[in-house]
Amino acid sequence: MQNQKSSSRTAFNIIVWILTLLWLCVIFRFSAMPAQQSSEQSSFIISVLNSLFNLDLSSGEIIQKFSIAQSIDFFVRKTAHFTEYAILGVLSFLSFSELGRRQARRRMFQFSASLIFCLLYAASDETHQLFVSGRSAAVRDVLIDFLGSVAGVAVILLVTLLKDKRKKRVAKAC
C-alpha cells in the first residue's frame, strides 16, 4: 500500500513538473512575440470585452476615447501578466512539494522556493524582452508578475492547508 502511494506521488510530481516546464515555455513564447503581434492579441481581447460589455468608444472626444482605450489596453496586458504568473505560482508550489517533503518545515519551503523561483523567472522574462523587437523591460512588470505569483501561491497554500486540516479531523474521528 505504501509503495503504491509513493509511486502515485512520484507520478503526480513528474506530471506537475512537466506542466510547470510547459507553462514556462508558454510565458517565454508570449514574451518572444514582437510588439506588433502582442498588441494584436491585446486588441482581440479588447474587442471581445467591447462586445461583451457594450463599451462604446466611438462617441466623445478623440482624446477621451484614446485615453480610455489606452487604459483598457493597459489593464488587459497587466491582467494577463498577473494571471500568467498566478498559474506559475500554483504550478511551482505543487512542483516543490516533493522536494520539500523531507524538510521539517515543508510548507514554508514550498512557499519560499516557489516565490523565489517565480521572481527569478519574472526578472529573466523581462530581461528576455529587451532582445525582442519593439519590446522593453519594466520593473513594474516584474512586480506585477511577482504579485500574481504571490496570489497563486496563497490560493494553493490555503487550499492545501484546509485539505491537511480536514485530513487531521477525519483521522481523529476514526
Side-chain angles (χ1 to χ4, degrees):
M1 180 70 166
Q2 182 67 18
N3 201 13
Q4 184 181 9
K5 189 176 179 181
S6 176
S7 63
S8 67
R9 192 169 46 219
T10 301
F12 173 79
N13 202 16
I14 290 169
I15 290 168
V16 171
W17 270 108
I18 289 170
L19 290 173
T20 303
L21 293 173
L22 288 173
W23 194 249
L24 292 172
C25 291
V26 166
I27 293 172
F28 184 87
R29 178 70 182 113
F30 282 136
S31 294
M33 287 182 184
Q36 174 91 20
Q37 194 176 357
S38 180
S39 292
E40 288 170 6
Q41 275 193 325
S42 294
S43 296
F44 171 74
I45 299 297
I46 290 169
S47 68
V48 169
L49 290 173
N50 191 17
S51 63
L52 285 174
F53 299 109
N54 293 324
L55 303 172
D56 185 13
L57 300 177
S58 60
S59 62
E61 293 182 27
I62 210 92
I63 295 172
Q64 233 179 356
K65 286 190 302 186
F66 184 70
S67 178
I68 291 170
Q70 276 187 320
S71 296
I72 293 170
D73 182 63
F74 181 81
F75 178 77
V76 166
R77 287 176 175 274
K78 300 316 163 193
T79 300
H81 273 267
F82 187 89
T83 304
E84 284 177 345
Y85 278 85
I87 293 167
L88 182 60
V90 169
L91 290 172
S92 64
F93 183 85
L94 293 173
S95 295
F96 286 115
S97 66
E98 193 62 30
L99 296 176
R101 192 164 297 285
R102 289 158 191 73
Q103 301 289 329
R105 298 179 185 245
R106 181 177 67 158
R107 296 287 180 235
M108 184 55 91
F109 172 81
Q110 279 181 277
F111 180 79
S112 303
S114 58
L115 288 180
I116 290 168
F117 177 78
C118 290
L119 180 61
L120 291 174
Y121 194 75
S124 70
D125 184 47
E126 286 301 309
T127 303
H128 163 238
Q129 288 182 33
L130 288 172
F131 303 99
V132 177
S133 176
R135 302 290 293 266
S136 62
V139 173
R140 174 190 63 213
D141 287 347
V142 174
L143 293 174
I144 290 169
D145 296 345
F146 184 66
L147 288 174
S149 301
V150 169
V153 169
V155 167
I156 193 66
L157 180 61
L158 181 63
V159 168
T160 305
L161 291 174
L162 290 173
K163 182 181 160 189
D164 289 351
K165 190 175 183 178
R166 184 172 175 257
K167 275 185 187 178
K168 286 179 184 176
R169 241 187 297 142
V170 169
K172 280 185 180 180
C174 292

